[in-house]
Amino acid sequence: MSAPFYKFDLFGYETGLVIAFLIGVAFGFTLERAGFSSSRKLALQFYLRDMTVLKVMFTAIIVAMTGLLYLNLADVLDMSKIYLNPTVLYPQMLGGAIMGVGFVIGGYCPGTSLVASAIGKIDGFFYVGGALLGMLIYGEVFPFFQDLTTSGAMGNATLSDWLNLRPGVVAFLVILMALGLFYVAEMLEKRFGEKA
Amino acid sequence: MQLTQIFDRRLAVGLLLVLGALLALSPAGLRQAEQLSAQDISHMVTGKSDHVTAEEVSAWIIDKQPDLLIVDLRSSEEYQQYHLPGAVNIPLTRLFEPESLDQLSDLYTIVLYSNGGTHAAQAWVLLQQMGIKSYVMLGGLNYWVDAILNPQPPGDLAADSEILQYQFRKGASGFFNGGGVSVEQENQPAQSDAPRPKLPPRRKKKGEEGC
């Protein structure tokens, strides 16, 4: 096994930053091409009229998941060396709810607001400015939230540990879930979409 | 031609189901890299990713890096006499006991030191094979005492870099000696009016990943 390359010291920190930059540019470009720089299109998601966001994001998830698992099966990638964002249940639920409300109101999520700013959308600039202001305020009142930030800490929690199933089985269930949701999404688009 | 015409939907769904079903039957995601080979380890040694300098360690201590775990591998008697501020004592003979290994979480930047460099380097190799990443403090405590606690001024013909290094060491020495207190009395809380040394950048490590 030779991946993740950084963990096996195939390149250093600085090279890692360059690679991250290139991946970030490709990611932003792809989001823009998928139409994610338009707050109108993104907001239509919440009126069940255009489910592109759900379809693109869930496609990305199952493609990446399947690819990672097959790379592991081929002894290329050691999954145990991949960085997982630790699960801290309560603050993440609260943060998710706040981000969701912000998404409905502002029409962007943090990533797509940067995509919109990159192509010069004024509402994107306002969104990014608001996000930075929010970060500043959070930083200033952080001691007040300090206990909350560690409540429900579960470490590197994964679905397969939680359900006590092999990762491959979980992956299959997630694929079934994605296909089911794609079907429901298209039904909803037919029912509520602009063009009948 | 549209992409949708090349990739038929039913084909895509069928392919996903087959790939997913194969995954469900396979041990995918559970396979782990084998232990590092001697060759991997020798690459890390020649690539110098195995050690940090005493100057770097002193800067991390002064900067109160929260994830720093300094491990003193010497006997507890030697540890009582003098040890780096904040260092924990795990003598080499007890390093591989489970309760010692439990302390070496990968959330920490682990720095090993002994009197010279030999014991720390040997412990580094053994830990590396167990998948625990650590750094050896170059030169060990002997170099630390010479360079950080009692730095010698460079000669008149010294290069700028040597003078800068001396200035750094002088500042650090003020910090660690508690302003003129000799090495033996080091256990007092370190206080200093010495100029704060300029800190070299910290090495990136695992715990800092993520957005």
Side-chain angles (χ1 to χ4, degrees):
Chain A
M1 296 201 186
S2 55
F5 296 145
Y6 177 67
K7 290 289 167 64
F8 284 104
D9 285 318
L10 264 70
F11 54 78
Y13 177 52
E14 286 77 12
T15 319
L17 287 180
V18 174
I19 294 170
F21 175 76
L22 294 176
I23 293 174
V25 169
F27 179 56
F29 180 79
T30 312
L31 281 181
E32 209 284 322
R33 291 288 80 201
F36 282 24
S37 57
S38 158
S39 55
R40 288 197 184 88
K41 187 178 180 71
L42 293 170
L44 281 177
Q45 166 83 21
F46 298 104
Y47 302 93
L48 307 178
R49 287 161 68 177
D50 182 339
M51 304 299 278
T52 311
V53 177
L54 182 137
K55 287 192 269 186
V56 168
M57 285 303 168
F58 230 132
T59 305
I61 289 169
I62 56 175
V63 168
M65 176 186 72
T66 312
L68 289 176
L69 286 176
Y70 272 100
L71 284 176
N72 178 252
L73 202 55
D75 278 349
V76 174
L77 176 74
D78 187 344
M79 300 281 278
S80 67
K81 289 198 160 39
I82 293 180
Y83 174 75
L84 295 177
N85 214 9
T87 301
V88 192
L89 199 58
Y90 302 114
Q92 283 172 351
M93 281 163 67
L94 181 65
I98 293 171
M99 203 212 87
V101 171
F103 201 163
V104 175
I105 297 172
Y108 291 116
C109 71
T112 51
S113 70
L114 291 170
V115 172
S117 305
I119 61 165
K121 292 242 171 109
I122 292 170
D123 55 349
F125 286 121
F126 272 91
Y127 196 102
V128 173
L132 290 174
L133 187 65
M135 285 177 212
L136 179 71
I137 293 171
Y138 177 74
E140 290 301 320
V141 298
F142 178 75
F144 183 71
F145 291 108
Q146 200 145 18
D147 290 337
L148 179 70
T149 55
T150 51
S151 60
M154 294 164 64
N156 291 338
T158 61
L159 281 177
S160 63
D161 289 341
W162 183 55
L163 299 170
N164 207 10
L165 292 171
R166 274 184 289 120
V169 177
V170 174
F172 187 48
L173 293 177
V174 172
I175 287 174
L176 291 180
M177 189 170 119
L179 291 174
L181 277 174
F182 290 157
Y183 183 74
V184 171
E186 304 244 301
M187 291 280 103
L188 291 169
E189 282 176 344
K190 276 205 185 103
R191 173 119 196 242
F192 299 106
E194 307 246 90
K195 53 169 177 48
Chain B
M1 205 205 293
Q2 290 280 311
L3 278 178
T4 45
Q5 286 171 293
I6 304 171
F7 294 110
D8 178 64
R9 280 187 170 210
R10 266 172 287 178
L11 179 72
V13 170
L15 194 63
L16 254 182
L17 285 175
V18 171
L19 286 174
L22 285 174
L23 279 182
L25 297 172
S26 76
L30 299 173
R31 302 179 66 86
Q32 292 194 4
E34 286 171 18
Q35 290 187 340
L36 286 174
S37 68
Q39 200 177 15
D40 293 333
I41 291 180
S42 63
H43 275 303
M44 293 178 77
V45 172
T46 47
K48 295 184 180 166
S49 63
D50 61 326
H51 62 248
V52 288
T53 63
E55 283 81 4
E56 282 176 297
V57 175
S58 69
W60 293 346
I61 296 172
I62 293 167
D63 206 25
K64 294 190 173 62
Q65 295 293 357
D67 57 358
L68 186 62
L69 180 68
I70 304 176
V71 179
D72 187 322
L73 295 167
R74 302 169 308 149
S75 67
S76 51
E77 295 81 54
E78 286 172 298
Y79 176 82
Q80 299 287 335
Q81 280 179 4
Y82 175 76
H83 58 87
L84 262 56
V88 295
N89 182 218
I90 310 180
L92 191 51
T93 45
R94 290 200 276 114
L95 184 61
F96 297 99
E97 289 171 12
E99 50 267 39
S100 306
L101 292 173
D102 281 350
Q103 293 183 48
L104 305 177
S105 153
D106 61 3
L107 292 174
Y108 292 114
T109 303
I110 301 169
V111 175
L112 308 170
Y113 76 85
S114 50
N115 272 329
T118 319
H119 281 171
Q122 287 159 347
W124 178 87
V125 172
L126 294 167
L127 287 176
Q128 198 71 40
Q129 278 184 325
M130 302 174 76
I132 299 172
K133 196 166 180 172
S134 60
Y135 297 102
V136 175
M137 187 173 85
L138 212 59
L141 203 56
N142 296 342
Y143 179 80
W144 174 274
V145 171
D146 287 347
I148 304 292
L149 299 183
N150 307 304
Q152 298 301 316
D156 291 339
L157 297 171
D160 282 354
S161 61
E162 282 176 60
I163 294 168
L164 278 174
Q165 189 182 41
Y166 172 71
Q167 284 170 343
F168 172 84
R169 288 171 174 177
K170 193 77 188 152
S173 133
F175 180 92
F176 289 106
N177 289 327
V181 182
S182 72
V183 176
E184 283 69 28
Q185 293 164 283
E186 205 282 321
N187 283 336
Q188 299 172 0
Q191 288 173 351
S192 168
D193 301 326
R196 195 180 147 83
K198 193 169 170 292
L199 303 176
R202 222 170 129 225
R203 298 210 178 166
K204 175 82 175 171
K205 49 151 275 294
K206 199 178 166 204
E208 295 171 71
E209 285 173 300
C211 58

